[in-house]
Amino acid sequence: MNSSSLVKASHALDASDLAKHFEAVRLQTEALCRPLEIEDYGLQPIPDVSPAKWHLAHTTWFFENFVLAEARPDYERFHPLYHYLYNSYYNLAGKYHPRVARGDISRPTVAEVYQFRRYVTQAVLDLLGSSSEEVLAKIEPTIGLGINHEQQHQELLVTDIKYSLSRNPMEPVYFERASMLSSAEKPALNWLDFGGGLYEVGHEGNGFCFDNESPRHRVFLSDYRIAGRPVTNSEYIEFIEDGGYRRADLWLSDGWDAVRSNDWQAPLYWQQLDGDWYNFTLAGTRKVEPNAPVCHISYYEADAYARWTGKRLPTEAEWEHAAALLPVEGNFVESGLYHPAPLSDSTSQFYGDVWQWTGSAYLPYPGFKPLEGVIGEYNGKFMSGQMVLRGGSCATPRGHIRATYRNFFQLYQRWQFMGFRLAE
Amino acid sequence: MNSSSLVKASHALDASDLAKHFEAVRLQTEALCRPLEIEDYGLQPIPDVSPAKWHLAHTTWFFENFVLAEARPDYERFHPLYHYLYNSYYNLAGKYHPRVARGDISRPTVAEVYQFRRYVTQAVLDLLGSSSEEVLAKIEPTIGLGINHEQQHQELLVTDIKYSLSRNPMEPVYFERASMLSSAEKPALNWLDFGGGLYEVGHEGNGFCFDNESPRHRVFLSDYRIAGRPVTNSEYIEFIEDGGYRRADLWLSDGWDAVRSNDWQAPLYWQQLDGDWYNFTLAGTRKVEPNAPVCHISYYEADAYARWTGKRLPTEAEWEHAAALLPVEGNFVESGLYHPAPLSDSTSQFYGDVWQWTGSAYLPYPGFKPLEGVIGEYNGKFMSGQMVLRGGSCATPRGHIRATYRNFFQLYQRWQFMGFRLAE
Amino acid sequence: MNSSSLVKASHALDASDLAKHFEAVRLQTEALCRPLEIEDYGLQPIPDVSPAKWHLAHTTWFFENFVLAEARPDYERFHPLYHYLYNSYYNLAGKYHPRVARGDISRPTVAEVYQFRRYVTQAVLDLLGSSSEEVLAKIEPTIGLGINHEQQHQELLVTDIKYSLSRNPMEPVYFERASMLSSAEKPALNWLDFGGGLYEVGHEGNGFCFDNESPRHRVFLSDYRIAGRPVTNSEYIEFIEDGGYRRADLWLSDGWDAVRSNDWQAPLYWQQLDGDWYNFTLAGTRKVEPNAPVCHISYYEADAYARWTGKRLPTEAEWEHAAALLPVEGNFVESGLYHPAPLSDSTSQFYGDVWQWTGSAYLPYPGFKPLEGVIGEYNGKFMSGQMVLRGGSCATPRGHIRATYRNFFQLYQRWQFMGFRLAE
Amino acid sequence: MNSSSLVKASHALDASDLAKHFEAVRLQTEALCRPLEIEDYGLQPIPDVSPAKWHLAHTTWFFENFVLAEARPDYERFHPLYHYLYNSYYNLAGKYHPRVARGDISRPTVAEVYQFRRYVTQAVLDLLGSSSEEVLAKIEPTIGLGINHEQQHQELLVTDIKYSLSRNPMEPVYFERASMLSSAEKPALNWLDFGGGLYEVGHEGNGFCFDNESPRHRVFLSDYRIAGRPVTNSEYIEFIEDGGYRRADLWLSDGWDAVRSNDWQAPLYWQQLDGDWYNFTLAGTRKVEPNAPVCHISYYEADAYARWTGKRLPTEAEWEHAAALLPVEGNFVESGLYHPAPLSDSTSQFYGDVWQWTGSAYLPYPGFKPLEGVIGEYNGKFMSGQMVLRGGSCATPRGHIRATYRNFFQLYQRWQFMGFRLAE
């Protein structure tokens, strides 16, 4: 976020509200880990997936390094090596442990990492409780950023745990829940029509935003229609059954390579048993729910499906323009489902359930300025080779999402809760 | 290109003009190969580089398959296996030989491929000379596309030959030329200022264009400035000497990975000897010309240089808006230099010398429709993972380029004549 | 081992002795894991290294599958999926979990694996206590094999834990011990001379042996000399300082490739600080002890060192002939050092401290017959691409080793306690 | 070869005989290339296969570097860069071009390489014609080695050309020949019985040998039987049809990995069409001849077949002991078939047709000493990771083979003419 929005963000809260919010978010991260066995905390089955223990420690390091060590010259770090172990990718902050080897670190133990968390949480609370107005004005934007950063990692915790557990033939269950099979009625598909024109997108105002959402700027949109809901599992199954994964002409060239080299035949976590489709969920292996949004698909698959229908993905500007006036409601992490829910006729599902791939590459907005200093590496340096997703998912904290929020992943990625809606 | 522009393109020519143009382009391809030894025709040192023989045959197959076999039911293909060997990537046209193994094909011999060329060239000329108006109307767009396709491969021929010869410690010389060391005077850098507003970009009208250049559409541009000339070698050397290749903070994350894994320390083909920079050229190893545009750099390098200066790359719309009114003049393949020339104060170098990386991802224009049928795989399926380059280079045929032309490559590629200009 | 030796082995013990021995070995495996944190049990930093938890479970599966399930038709396996998870490589026993993914399995938990161990240990003890003579005669050979199998995994436990902990910059300490720096006196090097002739090697008689040690057979040996002790660290440091790792002429071709691609400059676990050599040990990072046998080197390094001295490695027959009459004494796992000890003038170190690379490829003895059935996959199928090592190490149980014992590893491996002695 | 055998070898010839022999071998290499198009000379479809042009130049470099540059201080090398380009692997002779990139070198042209050959051939002939007795005594051993070296490359030329042409769907034919389908009668399989005892193997005496064949030394062999002929195609087809490639229990562990990762289902060059087996040969694709020795199989396949029959491969000592007294007769390169011929009842096929895998690893003989100097890298440094083959093949020059000759390849290699015979 640029520094002006950071400052504004901080002014919206007084220090004690901020302290409460901070503490609540910190506790929520730990709550998400409660179902885990100690053995689960260290798993890193693929380089993209980080161990739960690493998420717990890295989000803590963020506050230690960017808030405490900055604000208090006498601050004593919890352990001198944690700076090396839990810096994720900030080159300006020094050398860091290779991402691929995060799963090789058994010490600190889980208990020690929780101690680290308590140590830092308390130190931040102390700082908030004891700082002058002037100091508060300086630290609040970074604490705000740290809170949002930790919320991002809450989502990654859920998706990484899901991926890690899915690789175990024991099929561990993260939590028990009843089935949520939807009604047989397929939800209606309404199209929302928008007239072309010059519109504004991007963030502005008092609330928190990341630097990549600003500045707010004008874009020209032609007339367009956008689907009133995401594509569902039952619709996607039609694509599969029509040979979608075997027809090169439906795919981007890189996508077709991905299909063949990974032998993709369905979304991630899906398997077919006796003619029925099942998917691995955090509540165990369940039948695929026909009327829930299709999920765990790559950009390539979303794009191929769109081509199969003769439609396309919306751009991120189209999506934002359509979503901007809608209330931020939906199936977020707080619902405790950790899975997309069946759609009903009345919901638009712009928010929650599944991140929606757009047809826009993740690039800087006109006039984009990264944050100053080390923290400028937060977003800007990833602006190549990725596509934008919008809307949040069933693993996103409700308070973390907004119309202007830009998520981004490589085109082949599938392990996030990723789906899409059509446009034309 | 969409079918309407194809039709229009064809109407601009009568059949005999088209025949002359066709024949000239066919001969020009062969002229480019004249300096080669038979042994040079088969080289494929890396998968991205195709053998010269393959280019000669593939461009011929294009006419055989999309023109002759379509238009003449009785047409007898020159050899039944060439369809498999020289189809590049059209999945709808059937299976094809793997790209990585093009260099493994010693037969047909070079002589046989030239026979194949003559056979097909003559058959197209016969067809043009003997077809009814109605048939002509049908085949002329595809012949026009085939001509432009062959011109694209003329450029690839030059760049692939350069790369292939560069790998030989014997340092073969493609052609002899005198030195073109520029004056000591550094060319002035003027900035062109444009006010923001709603503009149109994309192709429209009678001339030929590829499908990816259309439809013409409106975009909103904020106020911007664009450099009046590309970045030069001497400017780029300052970046190198300032530690540009060793400072992670200047690079995109993927770019920094590329720097380290490829050990990049300078543009492709450069080496430092006794403190001076030299580069491999098609006329042998020469001293780097300080005032020529820097060339053979990746998107990552262009982006890092721009960040080092506090500026950025132009978007493709900005570039096109600035270039649209300029005459298409510059150092093209016809100059016979096969190398970027030193800049003078008076030229803008929007066209020729070096393709210019833009900050725009290669994506479909709003309303884009690929060509119908097999040939729809020409451009559309590559619209992921690449960035747009504009303006043509010293290896581009002069008649092939225009303001709306969109070239595209992966961000790590360097073997084309690639440079950039700044914007802000 | 062939069935006759198995039967003989079993007759050396009565059932109650066997039960005691079995139980002691089972407990010893668990004792080796006592210093571990739960988080340590799951580490698999490279495919060759298995998690401690896996070793605990796999050795248990061996008894469950080859003893209990064979002997008791009503035997109920502890968990149906463990057969898949903890079969290591027996294709005839069915599909098994990929080796590379052993570290991805967080469930069963460590506690559950210990339950599995107790369940199976008790079931074997019950079986031993309740079986008829006839049944005992059938199961004792396999129990004997399972005991020896478990001892092999005890050694792997130690070496795998060492490797796994070494990858952690926190440098976890497995156990605390005082320094064991040796006297400044370099141990004398005596050569043992043997006249050529026709000798017998291989196992025969009552004791246990693996199938690959038999049959005993005649070999012709020319006159040879074999070093009275292994090469020491101080001797090896001379090789390093003489440029041993930079001189291609000293190396096998494959070895030189390994040096360059792995950037080997010293034995595994070594690093140089301020001119002194240190090595990672299970008691932390310690100074290299000059008079201890060099350890953690590949076959290629042993071979290069030998070439540097103008000598060679002994063949396995030479080694066995020299070692056959010596008592099996030395620094084994029972010493609790988990590290090679400094040499003295009086010991031969044929046994213990370090496995000694021989110049013999691991191939079947003339007349070799693998065990019958599934268990025939134990040794025979690995008889390609490996070299034989002899003598046991500081991680080998004392009762597990003998003169005829053939260990074997790929030539590039270094993570076992591997050293060598010279011959000529 | 050790220096004494080299000297003896040279004394067997006077200078003029040597010159004639030298010239004949040089011409024979070129004769093997006569069927090639210029385009064929540069092919290197896989790193193990070298271009024909490289073989022509490398064998020439061998004489230039080891004979001419040594013997004549005033000798002027044909081109200064050829020393870099055509040194294969002699590290002590300086840096050399990477093996994997031999196919990237289009210049020198084929014509220039032939010039290089003539230049060096003439210079060696001049040297032989003008040297004193003393000089002759010094150079003759190296010329003898160069001749044998060139003969080895003649075989590689044939096998590399075969492999390179096989990758082309045009299926180029190297030479035309009539079918050689054998009689329907399966050749008898006689077993040769040998009593155990102490025997001598290895080379001794006046003829030429490589250093790896000496010294002659004693080995003890137990009683053994060895098959009177190699395994035939029809026998091998039974193995295939019995599911040989699908039964893990028949394979070495590394072999089974090779089967699965390469998807081996038959020997190299084989394909099944309408139930019949065909194989690619230098005379085109032909039906597999049932009674010819099976060919183009790896060590793993030979070993698996042997296990399937309950037999084994002979050791190299067994093979040599059996073959030593037989005349060196068989189907060699001079027969012009370039393919194994059908067996008859009367021939033993110890020599010619196919190299026969033995069960012996390629290791130094007791007392082995490599040649002095740079040329010591010829054989010794490859003594790891390979198995010994014996007997020569249909691509071996008749005068090049003998009972003591040790060929060696990695266990997965198949592109040489490799077969096997059984023992027990």
Side-chain angles (χ1 to χ4, degrees), chain B residues 35 37-40 43 45 79 81-82 84-85 97 103-111 165 167-170 172, chain D residues 35 37-40 43-45 79 81-82 84-85 97 103-111 165 167-170 172:
Chain B
E37 299 285 350
I38 288 183
E39 289 86 343
D40 299 328
L43 296 174
H79 191 291
L81 269 169
Y82 288 12
Y84 171 81
L85 279 178
H97 192 64
D104 297 343
I105 302 303
S106 59
R107 322 276 184 100
T109 63
V110 171
L165 297 184
R167 298 285 283 252
N168 191 334
M170 305 283 290
Chain D
E37 298 286 351
I38 287 182
E39 290 86 343
D40 299 329
L43 297 174
Q44 185 180 36
H79 191 291
L81 269 170
Y82 288 13
Y84 171 80
L85 279 178
H97 193 64
D104 297 343
I105 302 302
S106 59
R107 322 276 183 100
T109 62
V110 171
L165 297 183
R167 298 284 282 253
N168 191 333
M170 306 283 288

Side-chain angles (χ1 to χ4, degrees), chain C residues 290-309:
Chain C
N291 296 332
V294 67
C295 189
H296 295 303
I297 57 163
S298 64
Y299 176 82
Y300 298 126
E301 288 161 296
D303 176 82
Y305 179 94
R307 191 166 295 123
W308 177 68
T309 63

Side-chain angles (χ1 to χ4, degrees), chain B residues 135-179:
Chain B
V135 170
L136 279 176
K138 267 178 64 181
I139 62 172
E140 281 179 1
T142 315
I143 293 176
L145 181 63
I147 288 170
N148 277 273
H149 172 258
E150 181 136 356
Q151 288 177 315
Q152 291 184 307
H153 280 276
Q154 287 171 4
E155 173 145 10
L156 292 171
L157 256 173
V158 173
T159 53
D160 287 359
I161 289 169
K162 180 172 182 178
Y163 190 85
S164 297
L165 297 184
S166 79
R167 298 285 283 252
N168 191 334
M170 305 283 290
E171 297 195 2
V173 168
Y174 175 70
F175 79 115
E176 302 285 352
R177 68 161 160 76
S179 165

Side-chain angles (χ1 to χ4, degrees), chain A residues 35 37-40 43 45 79 81-82 84-85 97 103-111 165 167-170 172, chain C residues 35 37-40 43-45 79 81-82 84-85 97 103-111 165 167-170 172:
Chain A
E37 299 285 350
I38 288 183
E39 290 86 344
D40 298 329
L43 297 175
H79 191 293
L81 269 170
Y82 288 12
Y84 170 81
L85 279 178
H97 193 64
D104 297 343
I105 302 302
S106 59
R107 323 276 182 100
T109 62
V110 171
L165 297 183
R167 299 285 282 253
N168 191 334
M170 305 283 290
Chain C
E37 299 285 351
I38 288 183
E39 290 86 343
D40 300 328
L43 298 175
Q44 186 180 35
H79 190 291
L81 269 170
Y82 288 11
Y84 171 80
L85 279 178
H97 193 63
D104 297 343
I105 301 303
S106 59
R107 323 277 183 100
T109 63
V110 171
L165 297 184
R167 298 284 283 251
N168 191 333
M170 306 283 288

Side-chain angles (χ1 to χ4, degrees), chain B residues 17 255 286 380:
Chain B
D17 285 349
R286 300 286 177 107

Side-chain angles (χ1 to χ4, degrees), chain C residues 314-371:
Chain C
T315 64
E316 62 169 326
E318 288 169 343
W319 190 98
E320 183 174 330
H321 181 60
L325 297 177
L326 297 171
V328 179
E329 292 171 358
N331 172 21
F332 295 111
V333 75
E334 288 81 1
S335 75
L337 292 177
Y338 311 113
H339 202 70
L343 298 169
S344 69
D345 285 0
S346 58
T347 56
S348 73
Q349 241 84 8
F350 269 84
Y351 298 105
D353 277 319
V354 290
W355 287 99
Q356 295 148 60
W357 285 109
T358 71
S360 298
Y362 179 50
L363 289 170
Y365 280 169
F368 165 72
K369 290 266 177 284
L371 297 172

